[in-house]
Amino acid sequence: MVSTVFSIAISGINAIKVIVETDSSSGLPAFNIVGLPDSAVRESRERVISAIKSLGYRLPPKRITVNLSPADLKKEGAMYDLPIAIGVLSSSLGVKLDKLANYLVAGELSLSGKLRRCSGILPMAILAKKLGKGLIIPYENSLEAGLVEQIEILAIKHLSEITNFENIERFSPGSIDNNSHSYNVDFADVKGQPLAKRAALVAAAGYHNMLMIGPPGSGKTMIASRIPTIMPPMDKDEIIETTTIYSVAGMLPDNSYITTRPFRAPHHTISDVALVGGGTIPRPGEISLANRGVLFLDELAEFKRSTLEVLRQPIENGFVNISRAHSNVTYPARFMLVTASNPCKCGNYGNPFKECNCKTSDIIRYRSKLSGPLLDRIDIMIEVPAISYTKTKEASSTSSSEMRDMVLSALQRQKKRFGKTMFNSQMSSEDLNIYAKLNSDTEAILIKSAEKFGLSLRGINRVRKVSRTIADIAGHDRIEENDLLEALQYREFSFNSL
C-alpha cells in the first residue's frame, strides 16, 4: 500500500512542493529513504521509528520505502520527520489519515514523539496559500506561519495528535505588530558629533549608504548601531520578506517573527561566502540577513578587498544571485550600507589629542585598500573627529524619537511623490530628471563641484539623490542651493586623500 503526504523543499527563500510517498511491502525488513536526501533526512528513520513506538504501535517486519519527489531536488533538514511518520502510520499500520491530503506537512520529531520547530515554515505557508492547502506544523512555528492570512494552520505538539485529527488545535493568527520600536539604544546617548548625527538622519531618511572616518572612540560604532532606531517601522510586506530570510536561515527567535529593522555587524575577518551567501548548500549571507535594515562594516579597510568587491552588485540591484553546479538561487539584499574606518593604521591621523605614528606611505597603503568603484557607491562620507570629555558634558543631544519624526515626515513626501513606499536612493535616472531637477544656478554649482572633486556620473547622481532627501527633510518642493551644498559637503571628504 502506498500513502502520499505533501511537504516542501526550500530553494533560496522559496518553497517547492515535495511529494512524500511511502510504500510498505513484503520482503526483507528494511527502511529506505530515496529522492536525494541529505544525512539529516536519512537519519529521520531512527527518529520516526522511535516516535511511532511511543504511540504504542509496533512496526511489522516489512520493507518500507520512502520516496521524496521530485527526485532530482536536494532534500535537507529534519522537517521531513513528520510527513514520513504519517506515511508510515498510513501505509504500514493502516491508520486512516485521508483528510491530511489537503495539507502541507513539516516538522522535526523527538524520540518521544514531541514536535520540534524547524526552519522554512514561512515560505511553506506562502506556498500553501498559493496551492489552496492548509498547514500541519509544530506548535512552535505557529506564530511564524500566522503571518500569512487565509490559510488553515494545524499546530501540533505531539505525533499522537495526528491520529485524533478532529481535535487538533487550529491556530488563529493575531494582528502583526509593525509599530514596535523596542530598541535598547537611543541617539540621545550620543553626545556631540552634530555633523555625524545629521548625516545619519539624512541617510535614514533616504536609505543612503554612509561612510564615517575617524579615530577610535569618536563614536562611529555608537552612531551606526542607533540608525535603525530612527528608520520607519517595517510594513507587512517587509516583515514577511525579512522573516522569510531568517526562517530559511534557521535564525528566527522562538515562535516569533522579525518586526524591527535588522542590524548586522559582521567581523572584518568574514569570508566572501558568509557575507553574500552561498556554500555547498546555499544559505543567506549577512547582506541578506540585513535586508530592509542596516549592514554595518566596522574597520572597513581591514576587510579583504575581494570581500568588499562582491558588495558592488548587491548594492546596486538589491539582491544577490548564488550559482552552483546544480542550483541557482536568489536572495533579497536591499540593505542600507553603513561603514566606519580609522583614518590610518594606528587610528590617530588628524587626532588633536594623540600623535599619529604612521608614515605617509603607510597611510596611503592603508587607504588604498578601498577601491574607487566601491567608494563611488557610498552617498555620504563624513569625518567623525575625536571629541573631548568636557564637550560631551556640555553638549545636548537629540533623541531617536525626535529624529525618527523628521525621517517619517521626509518619507511621507517621498511616498506622495512616488505613489508608493520608495526611498530617494532608489530613484532611477528617469526619476532624477523628474523629481530632482536643478535650476540653472544650482546646476552650475553642481557642474563646478563635479569638476573640482572629479565626481563620476554615478557620483553626480548620488549627490542629486542626497540633495532631494535633504530637501524633503527641510520641506522644500524643489532642491534649493543649500540642499545641494549640504549634499556636496558629504562628498568633499576623500578617503584616499591626505
Side-chain angles (χ1 to χ4, degrees), residues 195 198-199 202 463 466-467 470-471 473 480-492:
L195 177 59
R198 170 67 179 180
V202 174
V463 168
V466 174
S467 301
I470 294 169
I473 295 173
E480 299 185 0
E481 183 175 316
N482 287 338
D483 303 326
L484 177 64
L485 290 174
E486 182 180 350
L488 285 168
Q489 174 185 307
Y490 298 136
R491 300 291 300 192
E492 285 181 9

mmCIF file with all atom_site columns, all heavy atoms in Angstrom, residues 195 198-199 202 463 466-467 470-471 473 480-492:
data_model
loop_
_atom_site.group_PDB
_atom_site.id
_atom_site.type_symbol
_atom_site.label_atom_id
_atom_site.label_alt_id
_atom_site.label_comp_id
_atom_site.label_asym_id
_atom_site.label_entity_id
_atom_site.label_seq_id
_atom_site.pdbx_PDB_ins_code
_atom_site.Cartn_x
_atom_site.Cartn_y
_atom_site.Cartn_z
_atom_site.occupancy
_atom_site.B_iso_or_equiv
_atom_site.pdbx_formal_charge
_atom_site.auth_seq_id
_atom_site.auth_comp_id
_atom_site.auth_asym_id
_atom_site.auth_atom_id
_atom_site.pdbx_PDB_model_num
ATOM 1   N N   . LEU A 1 195 ? 27.463 66.865 13.243 1.00 0.00 ? 195 LEU A N   1
ATOM 2   C CA  . LEU A 1 195 ? 27.537 66.590 11.811 1.00 0.00 ? 195 LEU A CA  1
ATOM 3   C C   . LEU A 1 195 ? 27.261 65.123 11.526 1.00 0.00 ? 195 LEU A C   1
ATOM 4   O O   . LEU A 1 195 ? 26.529 64.787 10.585 1.00 0.00 ? 195 LEU A O   1
ATOM 5   C CB  . LEU A 1 195 ? 28.907 66.980 11.263 1.00 0.00 ? 195 LEU A CB  1
ATOM 6   C CG  . LEU A 1 195 ? 29.147 66.673 9.771  1.00 0.00 ? 195 LEU A CG  1
ATOM 7   C CD1 . LEU A 1 195 ? 28.134 67.393 8.899  1.00 0.00 ? 195 LEU A CD1 1
ATOM 8   C CD2 . LEU A 1 195 ? 30.573 67.037 9.351  1.00 0.00 ? 195 LEU A CD2 1
ATOM 9   N N   . ARG A 1 198 ? 23.580 64.421 11.990 1.00 0.00 ? 198 ARG A N   1
ATOM 10  C CA  . ARG A 1 198 ? 22.837 64.975 10.859 1.00 0.00 ? 198 ARG A CA  1
ATOM 11  C C   . ARG A 1 198 ? 22.981 64.079 9.637  1.00 0.00 ? 198 ARG A C   1
ATOM 12  O O   . ARG A 1 198 ? 21.998 63.797 8.937  1.00 0.00 ? 198 ARG A O   1
ATOM 13  C CB  . ARG A 1 198 ? 23.357 66.383 10.543 1.00 0.00 ? 198 ARG A CB  1
ATOM 14  C CG  . ARG A 1 198 ? 22.846 66.984 9.240  1.00 0.00 ? 198 ARG A CG  1
ATOM 15  C CD  . ARG A 1 198 ? 21.357 67.275 9.274  1.00 0.00 ? 198 ARG A CD  1
ATOM 16  N NE  . ARG A 1 198 ? 20.914 67.877 8.020  1.00 0.00 ? 198 ARG A NE  1
ATOM 17  C CZ  . ARG A 1 198 ? 19.664 68.238 7.766  1.00 0.00 ? 198 ARG A CZ  1
ATOM 18  N NH1 . ARG A 1 198 ? 18.728 68.063 8.687  1.00 0.00 ? 198 ARG A NH1 1
ATOM 19  N NH2 . ARG A 1 198 ? 19.343 68.779 6.611  1.00 0.00 ? 198 ARG A NH2 1
ATOM 20  N N   . ALA A 1 199 ? 24.197 63.601 9.394  1.00 0.00 ? 199 ALA A N   1
ATOM 21  C CA  . ALA A 1 199 ? 24.418 62.695 8.260  1.00 0.00 ? 199 ALA A CA  1
ATOM 22  C C   . ALA A 1 199 ? 23.631 61.406 8.431  1.00 0.00 ? 199 ALA A C   1
ATOM 23  O O   . ALA A 1 199 ? 23.071 60.867 7.474  1.00 0.00 ? 199 ALA A O   1
ATOM 24  C CB  . ALA A 1 199 ? 25.908 62.395 8.120  1.00 0.00 ? 199 ALA A CB  1
ATOM 25  N N   . VAL A 1 202 ? 20.016 62.098 7.521  1.00 0.00 ? 202 VAL A N   1
ATOM 26  C CA  . VAL A 1 202 ? 19.834 62.162 6.064  1.00 0.00 ? 202 VAL A CA  1
ATOM 27  C C   . VAL A 1 202 ? 19.900 60.760 5.466  1.00 0.00 ? 202 VAL A C   1
ATOM 28  O O   . VAL A 1 202 ? 19.092 60.398 4.599  1.00 0.00 ? 202 VAL A O   1
ATOM 29  C CB  . VAL A 1 202 ? 20.896 63.077 5.431  1.00 0.00 ? 202 VAL A CB  1
ATOM 30  C CG1 . VAL A 1 202 ? 20.797 63.036 3.907  1.00 0.00 ? 202 VAL A CG1 1
ATOM 31  C CG2 . VAL A 1 202 ? 20.744 64.508 5.932  1.00 0.00 ? 202 VAL A CG2 1
ATOM 32  N N   . VAL A 1 463 ? 24.751 62.571 -5.543 1.00 0.00 ? 463 VAL A N   1
ATOM 33  C CA  . VAL A 1 463 ? 24.641 63.899 -4.929 1.00 0.00 ? 463 VAL A CA  1
ATOM 34  C C   . VAL A 1 463 ? 23.227 64.440 -5.113 1.00 0.00 ? 463 VAL A C   1
ATOM 35  O O   . VAL A 1 463 ? 22.627 65.006 -4.185 1.00 0.00 ? 463 VAL A O   1
ATOM 36  C CB  . VAL A 1 463 ? 25.679 64.866 -5.535 1.00 0.00 ? 463 VAL A CB  1
ATOM 37  C CG1 . VAL A 1 463 ? 25.381 66.309 -5.116 1.00 0.00 ? 463 VAL A CG1 1
ATOM 38  C CG2 . VAL A 1 463 ? 27.080 64.485 -5.091 1.00 0.00 ? 463 VAL A CG2 1
ATOM 39  N N   . VAL A 1 466 ? 20.858 62.604 -2.699 1.00 0.00 ? 466 VAL A N   1
ATOM 40  C CA  . VAL A 1 466 ? 21.010 63.096 -1.324 1.00 0.00 ? 466 VAL A CA  1
ATOM 41  C C   . VAL A 1 466 ? 20.407 64.495 -1.196 1.00 0.00 ? 466 VAL A C   1
ATOM 42  O O   . VAL A 1 466 ? 19.764 64.817 -0.188 1.00 0.00 ? 466 VAL A O   1
ATOM 43  C CB  . VAL A 1 466 ? 22.494 63.083 -0.902 1.00 0.00 ? 466 VAL A CB  1
ATOM 44  C CG1 . VAL A 1 466 ? 22.669 63.723 0.469  1.00 0.00 ? 466 VAL A CG1 1
ATOM 45  C CG2 . VAL A 1 466 ? 23.029 61.657 -0.876 1.00 0.00 ? 466 VAL A CG2 1
ATOM 46  N N   . SER A 1 467 ? 20.593 65.332 -2.227 1.00 0.00 ? 467 SER A N   1
ATOM 47  C CA  . SER A 1 467 ? 20.005 66.678 -2.216 1.00 0.00 ? 467 SER A CA  1
ATOM 48  C C   . SER A 1 467 ? 18.492 66.612 -2.111 1.00 0.00 ? 467 SER A C   1
ATOM 49  O O   . SER A 1 467 ? 17.865 67.397 -1.381 1.00 0.00 ? 467 SER A O   1
ATOM 50  C CB  . SER A 1 467 ? 20.397 67.437 -3.494 1.00 0.00 ? 467 SER A CB  1
ATOM 51  O OG  . SER A 1 467 ? 21.784 67.555 -3.619 1.00 0.00 ? 467 SER A OG  1
ATOM 52  N N   . ILE A 1 470 ? 17.593 65.778 1.479  1.00 0.00 ? 470 ILE A N   1
ATOM 53  C CA  . ILE A 1 470 ? 17.768 66.934 2.355  1.00 0.00 ? 470 ILE A CA  1
ATOM 54  C C   . ILE A 1 470 ? 16.627 67.930 2.151  1.00 0.00 ? 470 ILE A C   1
ATOM 55  O O   . ILE A 1 470 ? 16.105 68.507 3.116  1.00 0.00 ? 470 ILE A O   1
ATOM 56  C CB  . ILE A 1 470 ? 19.132 67.604 2.078  1.00 0.00 ? 470 ILE A CB  1
ATOM 57  C CG1 . ILE A 1 470 ? 20.267 66.654 2.468  1.00 0.00 ? 470 ILE A CG1 1
ATOM 58  C CG2 . ILE A 1 470 ? 19.259 68.923 2.832  1.00 0.00 ? 470 ILE A CG2 1
ATOM 59  C CD1 . ILE A 1 470 ? 21.638 67.101 2.006  1.00 0.00 ? 470 ILE A CD1 1
ATOM 60  N N   . ALA A 1 471 ? 16.215 68.119 0.898  1.00 0.00 ? 471 ALA A N   1
ATOM 61  C CA  . ALA A 1 471 ? 15.085 69.000 0.611  1.00 0.00 ? 471 ALA A CA  1
ATOM 62  C C   . ALA A 1 471 ? 13.800 68.464 1.240  1.00 0.00 ? 471 ALA A C   1
ATOM 63  O O   . ALA A 1 471 ? 12.976 69.235 1.749  1.00 0.00 ? 471 ALA A O   1
ATOM 64  C CB  . ALA A 1 471 ? 14.921 69.159 -0.902 1.00 0.00 ? 471 ALA A CB  1
ATOM 65  N N   . ILE A 1 473 ? 13.577 66.651 3.984  1.00 0.00 ? 473 ILE A N   1
ATOM 66  C CA  . ILE A 1 473 ? 13.658 66.889 5.431  1.00 0.00 ? 473 ILE A CA  1
ATOM 67  C C   . ILE A 1 473 ? 13.301 68.339 5.747  1.00 0.00 ? 473 ILE A C   1
ATOM 68  O O   . ILE A 1 473 ? 12.614 68.632 6.734  1.00 0.00 ? 473 ILE A O   1
ATOM 69  C CB  . ILE A 1 473 ? 15.070 66.554 5.956  1.00 0.00 ? 473 ILE A CB  1
ATOM 70  C CG1 . ILE A 1 473 ? 15.349 65.055 5.807  1.00 0.00 ? 473 ILE A CG1 1
ATOM 71  C CG2 . ILE A 1 473 ? 15.229 66.978 7.423  1.00 0.00 ? 473 ILE A CG2 1
ATOM 72  C CD1 . ILE A 1 473 ? 16.780 64.657 6.135  1.00 0.00 ? 473 ILE A CD1 1
ATOM 73  N N   . GLU A 1 480 ? 16.893 73.239 -3.321 1.00 0.00 ? 480 GLU A N   1
ATOM 74  C CA  . GLU A 1 480 ? 17.428 74.589 -3.232 1.00 0.00 ? 480 GLU A CA  1
ATOM 75  C C   . GLU A 1 480 ? 18.949 74.559 -3.116 1.00 0.00 ? 480 GLU A C   1
ATOM 76  O O   . GLU A 1 480 ? 19.550 73.497 -2.903 1.00 0.00 ? 480 GLU A O   1
ATOM 77  C CB  . GLU A 1 480 ? 16.791 75.318 -2.047 1.00 0.00 ? 480 GLU A CB  1
ATOM 78  C CG  . GLU A 1 480 ? 15.280 75.457 -2.186 1.00 0.00 ? 480 GLU A CG  1
ATOM 79  C CD  . GLU A 1 480 ? 14.660 76.279 -1.072 1.00 0.00 ? 480 GLU A CD  1
ATOM 80  O OE1 . GLU A 1 480 ? 15.407 76.750 -0.189 1.00 0.00 ? 480 GLU A OE1 1
ATOM 81  O OE2 . GLU A 1 480 ? 13.413 76.438 -1.091 1.00 0.00 ? 480 GLU A OE2 1
ATOM 82  N N   . GLU A 1 481 ? 19.553 75.727 -3.210 1.00 0.00 ? 481 GLU A N   1
ATOM 83  C CA  . GLU A 1 481 ? 21.002 75.811 -3.222 1.00 0.00 ? 481 GLU A CA  1
ATOM 84  C C   . GLU A 1 481 ? 21.618 75.215 -1.956 1.00 0.00 ? 481 GLU A C   1
ATOM 85  O O   . GLU A 1 481 ? 22.606 74.478 -2.017 1.00 0.00 ? 481 GLU A O   1
ATOM 86  C CB  . GLU A 1 481 ? 21.438 77.267 -3.379 1.00 0.00 ? 481 GLU A CB  1
ATOM 87  C CG  . GLU A 1 481 ? 22.944 77.451 -3.483 1.00 0.00 ? 481 GLU A CG  1
ATOM 88  C CD  . GLU A 1 481 ? 23.330 78.889 -3.756 1.00 0.00 ? 481 GLU A CD  1
ATOM 89  O OE1 . GLU A 1 481 ? 22.671 79.531 -4.616 1.00 0.00 ? 481 GLU A OE1 1
ATOM 90  O OE2 . GLU A 1 481 ? 24.282 79.367 -3.109 1.00 0.00 ? 481 GLU A OE2 1
ATOM 91  N N   . ASN A 1 482 ? 21.041 75.524 -0.797 1.00 0.00 ? 482 ASN A N   1
ATOM 92  C CA  . ASN A 1 482 ? 21.573 74.998 0.467  1.00 0.00 ? 482 ASN A CA  1
ATOM 93  C C   . ASN A 1 482 ? 21.463 73.478 0.547  1.00 0.00 ? 482 ASN A C   1
ATOM 94  O O   . ASN A 1 482 ? 22.314 72.823 1.152  1.00 0.00 ? 482 ASN A O   1
ATOM 95  C CB  . ASN A 1 482 ? 20.854 75.634 1.653  1.00 0.00 ? 482 ASN A CB  1
ATOM 96  C CG  . ASN A 1 482 ? 21.251 77.080 1.869  1.00 0.00 ? 482 ASN A CG  1
ATOM 97  O OD1 . ASN A 1 482 ? 22.317 77.504 1.418  1.00 0.00 ? 482 ASN A OD1 1
ATOM 98  N ND2 . ASN A 1 482 ? 20.400 77.848 2.540  1.00 0.00 ? 482 ASN A ND2 1
ATOM 99  N N   . ASP A 1 483 ? 20.409 72.928 -0.042 1.00 0.00 ? 483 ASP A N   1
ATOM 100 C CA  . ASP A 1 483 ? 20.243 71.467 -0.057 1.00 0.00 ? 483 ASP A CA  1
ATOM 101 C C   . ASP A 1 483 ? 21.386 70.820 -0.838 1.00 0.00 ? 483 ASP A C   1
ATOM 102 O O   . ASP A 1 483 ? 21.971 69.821 -0.408 1.00 0.00 ? 483 ASP A O   1
ATOM 103 C CB  . ASP A 1 483 ? 18.902 71.078 -0.681 1.00 0.00 ? 483 ASP A CB  1
ATOM 104 C CG  . ASP A 1 483 ? 17.716 71.720 0.025  1.00 0.00 ? 483 ASP A CG  1
ATOM 105 O OD1 . ASP A 1 483 ? 17.794 71.894 1.259  1.00 0.00 ? 483 ASP A OD1 1
ATOM 106 O OD2 . ASP A 1 483 ? 16.733 72.061 -0.661 1.00 0.00 ? 483 ASP A OD2 1
ATOM 107 N N   . LEU A 1 484 ? 21.695 71.405 -1.999 1.00 0.00 ? 484 LEU A N   1
ATOM 108 C CA  . LEU A 1 484 ? 22.775 70.867 -2.833 1.00 0.00 ? 484 LEU A CA  1
ATOM 109 C C   . LEU A 1 484 ? 24.127 71.039 -2.155 1.00 0.00 ? 484 LEU A C   1
ATOM 110 O O   . LEU A 1 484 ? 24.963 70.125 -2.178 1.00 0.00 ? 484 LEU A O   1
ATOM 111 C CB  . LEU A 1 484 ? 22.777 71.561 -4.194 1.00 0.00 ? 484 LEU A CB  1
ATOM 112 C CG  . LEU A 1 484 ? 23.905 71.140 -5.150 1.00 0.00 ? 484 LEU A CG  1
ATOM 113 C CD1 . LEU A 1 484 ? 23.773 69.665 -5.517 1.00 0.00 ? 484 LEU A CD1 1
ATOM 114 C CD2 . LEU A 1 484 ? 23.919 72.009 -6.405 1.00 0.00 ? 484 LEU A CD2 1
ATOM 115 N N   . LEU A 1 485 ? 24.356 72.185 -1.529 1.00 0.00 ? 485 LEU A N   1
ATOM 116 C CA  . LEU A 1 485 ? 25.640 72.434 -0.871 1.00 0.00 ? 485 LEU A CA  1
ATOM 117 C C   . LEU A 1 485 ? 25.878 71.462 0.274  1.00 0.00 ? 485 LEU A C   1
ATOM 118 O O   . LEU A 1 485 ? 27.007 70.997 0.484  1.00 0.00 ? 485 LEU A O   1
ATOM 119 C CB  . LEU A 1 485 ? 25.694 73.882 -0.367 1.00 0.00 ? 485 LEU A CB  1
ATOM 120 C CG  . LEU A 1 485 ? 25.795 74.964 -1.449 1.00 0.00 ? 485 LEU A CG  1
ATOM 121 C CD1 . LEU A 1 485 ? 25.686 76.352 -0.831 1.00 0.00 ? 485 LEU A CD1 1
ATOM 122 C CD2 . LEU A 1 485 ? 27.086 74.828 -2.242 1.00 0.00 ? 485 LEU A CD2 1
ATOM 123 N N   . GLU A 1 486 ? 24.818 71.140 1.003  1.00 0.00 ? 486 GLU A N   1
ATOM 124 C CA  . GLU A 1 486 ? 24.978 70.162 2.083  1.00 0.00 ? 486 GLU A CA  1
ATOM 125 C C   . GLU A 1 486 ? 25.301 68.789 1.513  1.00 0.00 ? 486 GLU A C   1
ATOM 126 O O   . GLU A 1 486 ? 26.159 68.064 2.037  1.00 0.00 ? 486 GLU A O   1
ATOM 127 C CB  . GLU A 1 486 ? 23.728 70.090 2.955  1.00 0.00 ? 486 GLU A CB  1
ATOM 128 C CG  . GLU A 1 486 ? 23.890 69.112 4.122  1.00 0.00 ? 486 GLU A CG  1
ATOM 129 C CD  . GLU A 1 486 ? 22.668 69.015 5.015  1.00 0.00 ? 486 GLU A CD  1
ATOM 130 O OE1 . GLU A 1 486 ? 21.736 69.844 4.859  1.00 0.00 ? 486 GLU A OE1 1
ATOM 131 O OE2 . GLU A 1 486 ? 22.637 68.098 5.866  1.00 0.00 ? 486 GLU A OE2 1
ATOM 132 N N   . ALA A 1 487 ? 24.626 68.415 0.437  1.00 0.00 ? 487 ALA A N   1
ATOM 133 C CA  . ALA A 1 487 ? 24.890 67.112 -0.188 1.00 0.00 ? 487 ALA A CA  1
ATOM 134 C C   . ALA A 1 487 ? 26.329 67.044 -0.697 1.00 0.00 ? 487 ALA A C   1
ATOM 135 O O   . ALA A 1 487 ? 26.999 66.011 -0.575 1.00 0.00 ? 487 ALA A O   1
ATOM 136 C CB  . ALA A 1 487 ? 23.909 66.865 -1.330 1.00 0.00 ? 487 ALA A CB  1
ATOM 137 N N   . LEU A 1 488 ? 26.825 68.137 -1.284 1.00 0.00 ? 488 LEU A N   1
ATOM 138 C CA  . LEU A 1 488 ? 28.200 68.169 -1.768 1.00 0.00 ? 488 LEU A CA  1
ATOM 139 C C   . LEU A 1 488 ? 29.197 68.077 -0.621 1.00 0.00 ? 488 LEU A C   1
ATOM 140 O O   . LEU A 1 488 ? 30.286 67.510 -0.756 1.00 0.00 ? 488 LEU A O   1
ATOM 141 C CB  . LEU A 1 488 ? 28.445 69.460 -2.557 1.00 0.00 ? 488 LEU A CB  1
ATOM 142 C CG  . LEU A 1 488 ? 27.834 69.516 -3.959 1.00 0.00 ? 488 LEU A CG  1
ATOM 143 C CD1 . LEU A 1 488 ? 27.893 70.928 -4.526 1.00 0.00 ? 488 LEU A CD1 1
ATOM 144 C CD2 . LEU A 1 488 ? 28.535 68.535 -4.892 1.00 0.00 ? 488 LEU A CD2 1
ATOM 145 N N   . GLN A 1 489 ? 28.814 68.612 0.519  1.00 0.00 ? 489 GLN A N   1
ATOM 146 C CA  . GLN A 1 489 ? 29.678 68.526 1.701  1.00 0.00 ? 489 GLN A CA  1
ATOM 147 C C   . GLN A 1 489 ? 29.950 67.079 2.083  1.00 0.00 ? 489 GLN A C   1
ATOM 148 O O   . GLN A 1 489 ? 31.035 66.744 2.551  1.00 0.00 ? 489 GLN A O   1
ATOM 149 C CB  . GLN A 1 489 ? 29.000 69.255 2.864  1.00 0.00 ? 489 GLN A CB  1
ATOM 150 C CG  . GLN A 1 489 ? 29.711 69.131 4.206  1.00 0.00 ? 489 GLN A CG  1
ATOM 151 C CD  . GLN A 1 489 ? 28.906 69.792 5.311  1.00 0.00 ? 489 GLN A CD  1
ATOM 152 O OE1 . GLN A 1 489 ? 28.523 70.942 5.203  1.00 0.00 ? 489 GLN A OE1 1
ATOM 153 N NE2 . GLN A 1 489 ? 28.636 69.051 6.372  1.00 0.00 ? 489 GLN A NE2 1
ATOM 154 N N   . TYR A 1 490 ? 28.963 66.213 1.831  1.00 0.00 ? 490 TYR A N   1
ATOM 155 C CA  . TYR A 1 490 ? 29.125 64.797 2.163  1.00 0.00 ? 490 TYR A CA  1
ATOM 156 C C   . TYR A 1 490 ? 29.963 64.041 1.136  1.00 0.00 ? 490 TYR A C   1
ATOM 157 O O   . TYR A 1 490 ? 30.251 62.860 1.336  1.00 0.00 ? 490 TYR A O   1
ATOM 158 C CB  . TYR A 1 490 ? 27.755 64.128 2.292  1.00 0.00 ? 490 TYR A CB  1
ATOM 159 C CG  . TYR A 1 490 ? 26.888 64.705 3.387  1.00 0.00 ? 490 TYR A CG  1
ATOM 160 C CD1 . TYR A 1 490 ? 25.546 64.961 3.170  1.00 0.00 ? 490 TYR A CD1 1
ATOM 161 C CD2 . TYR A 1 490 ? 27.414 64.991 4.633  1.00 0.00 ? 490 TYR A CD2 1
ATOM 162 C CE1 . TYR A 1 490 ? 24.735 65.491 4.159  1.00 0.00 ? 490 TYR A CE1 1
ATOM 163 C CE2 . TYR A 1 490 ? 26.622 65.521 5.645  1.00 0.00 ? 490 TYR A CE2 1
ATOM 164 C CZ  . TYR A 1 490 ? 25.274 65.774 5.396  1.00 0.00 ? 490 TYR A CZ  1
ATOM 165 O OH  . TYR A 1 490 ? 24.484 66.301 6.386  1.00 0.00 ? 490 TYR A OH  1
ATOM 166 N N   . ARG A 1 491 ? 30.330 64.715 0.031  1.00 0.00 ? 491 ARG A N   1
ATOM 167 C CA  . ARG A 1 491 ? 31.181 64.080 -0.979 1.00 0.00 ? 491 ARG A CA  1
ATOM 168 C C   . ARG A 1 491 ? 32.582 64.693 -1.031 1.00 0.00 ? 491 ARG A C   1
ATOM 169 O O   . ARG A 1 491 ? 33.460 64.170 -1.691 1.00 0.00 ? 491 ARG A O   1
ATOM 170 C CB  . ARG A 1 491 ? 30.567 64.216 -2.382 1.00 0.00 ? 491 ARG A CB  1
ATOM 171 C CG  . ARG A 1 491 ? 29.208 63.604 -2.559 1.00 0.00 ? 491 ARG A CG  1
ATOM 172 C CD  . ARG A 1 491 ? 29.228 62.104 -2.513 1.00 0.00 ? 491 ARG A CD  1
ATOM 173 N NE  . ARG A 1 491 ? 30.047 61.490 -3.539 1.00 0.00 ? 491 ARG A NE  1
ATOM 174 C CZ  . ARG A 1 491 ? 30.019 60.188 -3.826 1.00 0.00 ? 491 ARG A CZ  1
ATOM 175 N NH1 . ARG A 1 491 ? 29.203 59.388 -3.163 1.00 0.00 ? 491 ARG A NH1 1
ATOM 176 N NH2 . ARG A 1 491 ? 30.793 59.699 -4.758 1.00 0.00 ? 491 ARG A NH2 1
ATOM 177 N N   . GLU A 1 492 ? 32.770 65.800 -0.312 1.00 0.00 ? 492 GLU A N   1
ATOM 178 C CA  . GLU A 1 492 ? 34.041 66.512 -0.381 1.00 0.00 ? 492 GLU A CA  1
ATOM 179 C C   . GLU A 1 492 ? 35.165 65.715 0.266  1.00 0.00 ? 492 GLU A C   1
ATOM 180 O O   . GLU A 1 492 ? 36.309 65.765 -0.164 1.00 0.00 ? 492 GLU A O   1
ATOM 181 C CB  . GLU A 1 492 ? 33.933 67.884 0.282  1.00 0.00 ? 492 GLU A CB  1
ATOM 182 C CG  . GLU A 1 492 ? 33.183 68.900 -0.531 1.00 0.00 ? 492 GLU A CG  1
ATOM 183 C CD  . GLU A 1 492 ? 33.119 70.254 0.149  1.00 0.00 ? 492 GLU A CD  1
ATOM 184 O OE1 . GLU A 1 492 ? 33.804 70.428 1.180  1.00 0.00 ? 492 GLU A OE1 1
ATOM 185 O OE2 . GLU A 1 492 ? 32.375 71.122 -0.324 1.00 0.00 ? 492 GLU A OE2 1
#
